[in-house]
Amino acid sequence: MAGPQGTEFVTVFMQNYNPSYNNTYLQLFITGYQTDTTATVWVNKSNFKKNVILKQSSVSPTTIPPNFELLGVSKSYNVVVVQSDKEISITSMNFKALSADTSVIYPVSSLGTEYYIVTPLNGPSDSFKEFAVVSAGEPTNVDIYLKGEVTFQEETYLAGSKLTVLLEAYNAIQLLSKDDLSGSRVVSQKPVAVLSGHTCSWKNTQCNHVYEQLLPVSSWDTTFIVPPIVYQTKTDIVFVAASQKTTINYQSGSTKESKALSAGQVAVLDVEVKTPLFISASAGIQVIYYCTGWQDKLGTYDTTLINIPSINSYCSSYYLIGFQDFDNYGMLVARSEDVSKLTFNKKEMSGLSWSSIIGTEYSWSTQPLTKGFSFQMLENPSSFLLLSYGTTQENNYGSQAICKSLFLNYGYSFSTGYI
């Protein structure tokens, strides 16, 4: 899988719960890698344009006006475009009062032409499963093979039908449904970005907007470790999507199970409390972690959605952003023999409690950060995984941390633990 760095990005801010909700903050957190990097942020067919100057190893929060949120089922030019003279990376945050989430935004160079949708199921009666397809600088026809009913431009498309739409350059379509849209297939002539989630999903607590930018099928892989959110007191969920006939083997603690999947099928696996999940597959799969929310003595924490990178796409260094008004954390997975070599802002990490992941050579832990906005760097001589999440009362966010440099571990064969 390619890294998140690039010089051109396209994205949208999907509908976050109720359009009448106030305190809307649509933000891009743009990370620079080289001195004197200039990024230009603009929204198609609008007067909004902003230049951002970045220093080496720095992040700049950039606010997008709230009127560019996509509302309802729509075809829209509210596409946010970021172009830079040197490589950057981007994390987006879609925030409303008590309803927020984040996602890594992938560059145009990493986009593809085939995707499978994942949408969490449950939410209040005025919420929807949702996804958006976003074109880059070229027009493209998009075929959407639906697993649930949607209405678009006053025409109803039933589950099993195909919706075809022409997207002009820097154009987007957002679809909402009461039905489960998981397993819907998106096929385009030109590379597109696809974001998927729920306007406001719930399971154990109140609802929260959740979303992730999806990876194209061409970037899928076969081995994954899902570290649990350490404070979760309930069972979480992992969605595993297949694009072809696939057998997945998965292990939770000492329990091993297998499941056969067909093309377009999305399996739902449990992530037990404080128990990592190890998954391997006979063909490429997409793995997305759904935190179902929890309550404890300190408060109530809502749902979030996190795209899980494969073991082959682990990195040797990451930037980790902490967000304002949240208690921020980094979720770590590293080879057990290397956990003592991890550094935090060039200093030795201390005080972490590591637990081994049965059936693998890896261990997992959680690094607490300070509350509020921060920008940290974690490094290791070998590859490891870093996920980012944050909690605050009746809210949550989660996403990957920003991979600073890929670790190319040629000649290393990962043992799945299955015979």
Side-chain angles (χ1 to χ4, degrees):
M1 184 188 79
Q5 295 85 8
T7 57
E8 183 176 11
F9 300 76
V10 292
T11 194
V12 292
F13 289 91
M14 294 193 297
Q15 181 172 320
N16 181 343
Y17 195 30
N18 193 313
S20 66
Y21 258 40
N22 55 11
N23 297 328
T24 299
Y25 296 98
L26 310 179
Q27 289 186 300
L28 300 178
F29 292 80
I30 304 174
T31 299
Y33 296 84
Q34 301 179 55
T35 302
D36 296 328
T37 298
T38 300
T40 302
V41 184
W42 51 282
V43 177
N44 193 22
K45 296 189 182 296
S46 80
N47 293 323
F48 177 80
K49 187 174 184 180
K50 185 173 183 179
N51 289 324
V52 180
I53 308 299
L54 298 160
K55 299 178 181 178
Q56 184 177 3
S57 302
S58 68
V59 64
S60 175
T62 303
T63 300
I64 307 299
N67 57 294
F68 292 119
E69 175 188 2
L70 299 187
L71 299 178
V73 175
S74 58
K75 189 178 175 187
S76 175
Y77 287 109
N78 285 354
V79 172
V80 183
V81 185
V82 183
Q83 295 165 322
S84 61
D85 59 354
K86 299 172 186 174
E87 284 198 336
I88 58 173
S89 55
I90 299 176
T91 299
S92 70
M93 171 173 272
N94 189 332
F95 181 97
K96 291 186 179 180
L98 308 181
S99 183
D101 203 4
T102 60
S103 176
V104 168
I105 302 301
Y106 292 98
V108 170
S109 59
S110 295
L111 303 182
T113 58
E114 183 182 15
Y115 295 84
Y116 282 86
I117 302 302
V118 169
T119 55
L121 278 178
N122 300 314
S125 59
D126 58 348
S127 68
F128 300 90
K129 296 83 174 174
E130 66 179 345
F131 68 92
V133 183
V134 188
S135 63
E138 296 182 278
T140 182
N141 279 309
V142 180
D143 293 325
I144 302 171
Y145 300 86
L146 292 161
K147 287 293 183 75
E149 180 180 314
V150 301
T151 299
F152 176 66
Q153 294 181 342
E154 300 184 350
E155 184 174 348
T156 298
Y157 295 83
L158 301 176
S161 64
K162 181 177 75 170
L163 188 163
T164 298
V165 62
L166 170 64
L167 295 181
E168 297 83 14
Y170 304 122
N171 197 192
I173 181 174
Q174 175 173 268
L175 296 177
L176 307 181
S177 180
K178 293 293 185 181
D179 293 348
D180 184 9
L181 296 175
S182 292
S184 298
R185 180 174 175 239
V186 175
V187 180
S188 59
Q189 290 178 322
K190 303 288 185 180
V192 293
V194 176
L195 296 94
S196 184
H198 200 293
T199 60
C200 209
S201 70
W202 64 21
K203 179 72 173 176
N204 302 315
T205 59
Q206 295 301 307
C207 77
N208 200 39
H209 176 52
V210 299
Y211 73 100
E212 279 290 307
Q213 181 173 345
L214 303 180
L215 291 173
V217 171
S218 58
S219 294
W220 290 8
D221 212 333
T222 58
T223 54
F224 298 80
I225 293 172
V226 184
I229 290 179
V230 69
Y231 300 110
Q232 171 64 286
T233 61
K234 303 287 187 179
T235 299
D236 283 333
I237 289 171
V238 163
F239 298 102
V240 179
S243 66
Q244 57 182 292
K245 187 177 179 181
T246 307
T247 298
I248 60 170
N249 299 300
Y250 51 101
Q251 182 167 348
S252 176
S254 58
T255 302
K256 297 180 180 180
E257 297 185 63
S258 297
K259 184 173 291 189
L261 302 181
S262 56
Q265 186 174 353
V266 179
V268 179
L269 310 180
D270 288 339
V271 180
E272 302 296 342
V273 174
K274 295 185 179 180
T275 306
L277 185 65
F278 169 59
I279 306 169
S280 65
S282 58
I285 54 174
Q286 175 176 246
V287 177
I288 296 180
Y289 179 23
Y290 178 54
C291 172
T292 58
W294 73 93
Q295 291 178 304
D296 58 27
K297 294 179 181 179
L298 298 176
T300 300
Y301 308 98
D302 293 338
T303 56
T304 190
L305 207 59
I306 305 176
N307 202 343
I308 300 296
S310 71
I311 288 174
N312 287 329
S313 60
Y314 287 4
C315 297
S316 59
S317 62
Y318 292 87
Y319 288 130
L320 181 60
I321 301 171
F323 294 94
Q324 193 65 38
D325 300 325
F326 288 87
D327 293 310
N328 302 285
Y329 302 89
M331 300 164 62
L332 293 155
V333 174
R335 293 179 69 182
S336 299
E337 63 185 30
D338 294 328
V339 297
S340 63
K341 303 172 186 175
L342 279 161
T343 61
F344 183 72
N345 295 328
K346 300 291 186 180
K347 297 180 180 180
E348 180 181 342
M349 296 182 72
S350 59
L352 291 186
S353 176
W354 290 89
S355 301
S356 60
I357 301 171
I358 298 174
T360 78
E361 298 175 296
Y362 288 83
S363 295
W364 70 282
S365 187
T366 296
Q367 168 68 49
L369 305 176
T370 56
K371 184 171 184 176
F373 181 75
S374 63
F375 186 62
Q376 321 286 351
M377 183 170 64
L378 281 75
E379 298 174 290
N380 195 40
S382 65
S383 61
F384 69 108
L385 172 65
L386 181 61
L387 304 177
S388 168
Y389 80 97
T391 63
T392 191
Q393 285 298 314
E394 298 183 31
N395 211 339
N396 249 11
Y397 76 81
S399 65
Q400 301 170 60
I402 293 290
C403 173
K404 181 173 177 284
S405 60
L406 289 166
F407 184 87
L408 301 178
N409 197 359
Y410 295 113
Y412 173 65
S413 176
F414 179 75
S415 173
T416 65
Y418 288 90
I419 300 175

